[in-house]
């Protein structure tokens, strides 16, 4: 049995499929993965014995600036990605029994699976990416935000935007390989039975007509790596610090500095995660420490709070650790959704709106660091599941027989 996994994006897009790959391989399934050609992804996949099929340009190069590429550049990237996928997928699918695709960028995936006669599964890492009257669609970079408040109308406009970008090219390729046209590209990619790799407590799905969503729980692996010795020494040298990190995202230049100052003003030590933004210390005071790659599963339980951008993986890891969160979301993808979930559940605070100020950061930090917030975070943490990847692997292996 052989399965092709496919995604395109940052580490938060790749790691859940890594977890699924490990669980599938434990069941004797051969796995290969289409992913960006960044060195860190190639090394990660080699380490678990999964063949990388590189697709598209390196993601890290695209994320170098503090701003996203322009709308015209994003449109070009999307069009080129569609062409690349139709070039790459047929050979990558050779001998495969199924294709699991994560993210709307996988526009060609279902067509390639149909042409190869293999099972196709679409997976989302957050409920907000799936059409529902219970929430609006997430911000899609490079496309204008609809000027309407009704959720159904916003989802309809979202579908039109996706069609405007992809329908002509997708249907041209489908005709060339003997497949009928599709009239709604987004829903074609999602299918009417998508999988949702998110924790039911943290980001549950509300029943929606027309979608039979299979919620497995978030896909992750236990991480047993020790923390670096110098980080352990910093943790041991005082009270639990507040973590500040934005993962693969690059926030506005002043956000990191302002956050560090706000944390210090409340008498807390600070742990800065460099990430792709290469955040660093603002001075040489001993109440602040900068760290590179580290085991978040082991680290987050040692902290007073986690300040981050609202990525699905970071939100889930902090929630599972029972550590309060302050989410400063970029207006991108599912970041605002996870900010809202953290605030609604009372396990932290969110600054989802105007750019943060010293006053708004001060208020949000006080909320995140309040005893009641910590108590709620700890209570929820004990309910967060860790078996999502195993559940998904079992479902897929069972379906393939």
């Amino acid at each position: 049995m052989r399965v092709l996994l496919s995604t395109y994006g940052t580490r938060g897009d790749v790691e859940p499929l890594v977890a699924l790959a490990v669980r599938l391989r434990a069941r004797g399934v051969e796995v290969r993965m289409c992913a960006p050609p960044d060195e860190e992804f190639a090394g990660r996949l080699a380490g678990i014995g999964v063949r990388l099929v590189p697709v598209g340009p390196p993601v890290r190069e695209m994320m170098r600036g503090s701003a996203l590429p322009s709308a015209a550049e994003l449109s070009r990237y999307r069009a080129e990605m569609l062409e690349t996928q139709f070039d790459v997928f047929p050979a990558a699918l050779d001998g495969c029994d199924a294709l699991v695709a994560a993210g709307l960028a996988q526009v060609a995936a279902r067509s390639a699976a149909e042409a190869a006669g293999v099972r196709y599964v679409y997976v989302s890492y957050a409920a907000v990416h799936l059409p529902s009257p219970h929430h609006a669609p997430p911000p899609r970079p490079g496309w204008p935000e609809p000027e309407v408040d009704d959720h159904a109308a916003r989802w309809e406009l979202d579908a039109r935007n996706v069609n405007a970008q992809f329908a002509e090219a997708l249907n041209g390729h489908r005709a060339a390989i003997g497949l009928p046209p599709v009239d709604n590209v987004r829903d074609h990619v999602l299918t009417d039975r998508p999988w949702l790799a998110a924790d039911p407590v943290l980001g549950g799905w509300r029943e929606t007509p027309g979608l039979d969503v299979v919620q497995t729980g978030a896909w992750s692996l236990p991480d047993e790596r020790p923390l670096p010795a110098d980080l352990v020494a910093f943790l041991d040298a005082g009270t639990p610090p507040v973590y500040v990190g934005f993962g693969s995202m690059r926030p506005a230049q002043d956000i990191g500095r302002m956050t560090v100052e706000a944390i210090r003003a409340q008498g807390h030590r600070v742990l800065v995660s460099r990430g792709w933004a290469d955040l660093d210390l603002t001075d040489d005071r001993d109440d602040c420490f900068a760290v590179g790659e580290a085991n978040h599963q082991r680290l987050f339980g040692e902290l007073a709070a986690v300040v981050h951008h609202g990525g699905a993986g970071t939100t889930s890891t902090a929630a599972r650790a029972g550590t309060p969160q302050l989410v400063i979301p970029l207006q991108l993808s599912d970041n605002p959704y996870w900010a809202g979930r953290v605030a609604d559940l009372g396990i932290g605070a969110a600054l989802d709106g105007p750019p943060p100020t010293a006053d708004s950061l001060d208020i949000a930090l006080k909320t995140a660091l309040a005893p009641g917030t910590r108590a709620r975070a700890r209570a929820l943490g004990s309910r967060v599941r860790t078996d999502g990847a195993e559940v998904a692997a079992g479902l897929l292996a069972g379906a393939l027989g």
Side-chain angles (χ1 to χ4, degrees):
M1 190 182 301
R2 182 181 298 157
V3 172
L4 176 66
L5 310 179
S6 183
T7 191
Y8 187 84
T10 63
R11 183 172 179 176
D13 298 287
V14 174
E15 280 296 324
L17 289 187
V18 168
L20 179 61
V22 169
R23 297 308 184 205
L24 286 171
R25 281 175 53 78
R27 292 172 173 267
V29 179
E30 182 184 336
V31 181
R32 59 180 67 146
M33 189 185 301
C34 290
D38 298 70
E39 288 184 9
E40 66 185 84
F41 301 147
R44 183 75 170 106
L45 294 178
I48 62 169
V50 170
R51 173 188 158 202
L52 169 65
V53 180
V55 177
V59 172
R60 193 157 188 162
E61 289 184 8
M62 296 175 61
M63 306 293 289
R64 281 179 297 184
S66 60
L68 289 168
S70 68
E73 289 172 325
L74 286 167
S75 179
R76 176 171 60 82
Y77 289 147
R78 288 168 174 143
E80 291 174 353
M81 181 62 69
L82 179 70
E83 300 299 320
T84 299
Q85 288 172 349
F86 272 108
D87 287 341
V88 171
F89 280 155
L93 277 167
D94 184 40
C96 289
D97 303 286
L99 168 57
V100 179
L104 186 60
Q106 304 297 297
V107 176
R110 184 175 180 181
S111 298
E114 288 179 34
V118 305
R119 183 181 181 86
Y120 169 78
V121 176
Y122 176 84
V123 59
S124 174
Y125 302 147
V128 73
H129 292 297
L130 304 176
S132 171
H134 304 300
H135 56 250
R140 300 198 192 277
W143 292 342
E145 277 292 287
E147 296 181 359
V148 292
D149 293 328
D150 177 71
H151 290 169
R154 288 172 69 91
W155 279 111
E156 175 61 30
L157 289 170
D158 179 73
R160 291 180 195 170
N161 284 336
V162 177
N163 271 359
Q165 170 79 67
F166 295 114
E168 183 177 357
L170 175 65
N171 284 325
H173 279 286
R174 287 178 63 85
I177 55 178
L179 297 175
V182 298
D183 57 9
N184 185 321
V185 175
R186 184 198 65 206
D187 292 355
H188 160 81
V189 172
L190 300 181
T191 77
D192 58 4
R193 199 168 191 267
W195 289 8
L196 176 57
D199 185 77
V201 172
L202 190 59
W205 175 253
R206 298 174 65 181
E207 187 173 344
T208 296
L211 280 184
D212 180 19
V213 173
V214 179
Q215 186 158 18
T216 63
W219 298 353
S220 62
L221 294 171
D223 192 343
E224 303 298 335
R225 292 175 299 160
L227 296 176
D230 54 352
L231 173 56
V232 172
F234 175 74
L235 295 172
D236 290 345
T239 57
V242 175
Y243 170 102
V244 180
F246 298 94
S248 304
M249 300 293 104
R250 294 180 181 270
Q253 189 171 9
D254 287 343
I255 296 298
R257 176 188 56 78
M258 289 175 56
T259 304
V260 170
E261 290 176 356
I263 294 167
R264 280 173 158 171
Q266 295 196 23
H268 286 272
R269 301 193 305 152
V270 189
L271 177 62
V272 175
S273 175
R274 293 190 179 95
W276 283 15
D278 201 24
L279 298 181
D280 209 342
L281 306 180
T282 56
D283 53 48
D284 58 0
R285 288 168 52 182
D286 62 5
D287 66 339
C288 193
F289 183 84
V291 64
E293 172 66 21
N295 178 352
H296 285 178
Q297 292 180 22
R298 191 178 293 271
L299 173 63
F300 282 4
E302 304 294 324
L303 305 173
V306 175
V307 180
H308 63 97
H309 65 291
T314 308
T315 305
S316 180
T317 302
R320 192 163 68 238
T323 302
Q325 307 179 46
L326 168 53
V327 185
I328 307 175
L330 306 181
Q331 293 306 307
L332 174 69
S333 188
D334 57 353
N335 293 174
Y337 167 78
W338 290 116
R341 292 302 299 148
V342 165
D344 290 347
L345 289 165
I347 59 173
L351 287 176
D352 185 15
T357 63
D359 287 342
S360 66
L361 277 167
D362 179 69
I363 293 169
L365 279 166
K366 285 178 178 175
T367 298
L369 293 165
T373 305
R374 173 162 289 276
R376 286 188 294 272
R378 284 178 173 170
L380 183 136
S382 65
R383 299 162 57 202
V384 176
R385 294 171 47 183
T386 60
D387 63 344
E390 178 61 29
V391 169
L395 288 172
L396 188 59
L400 297 176

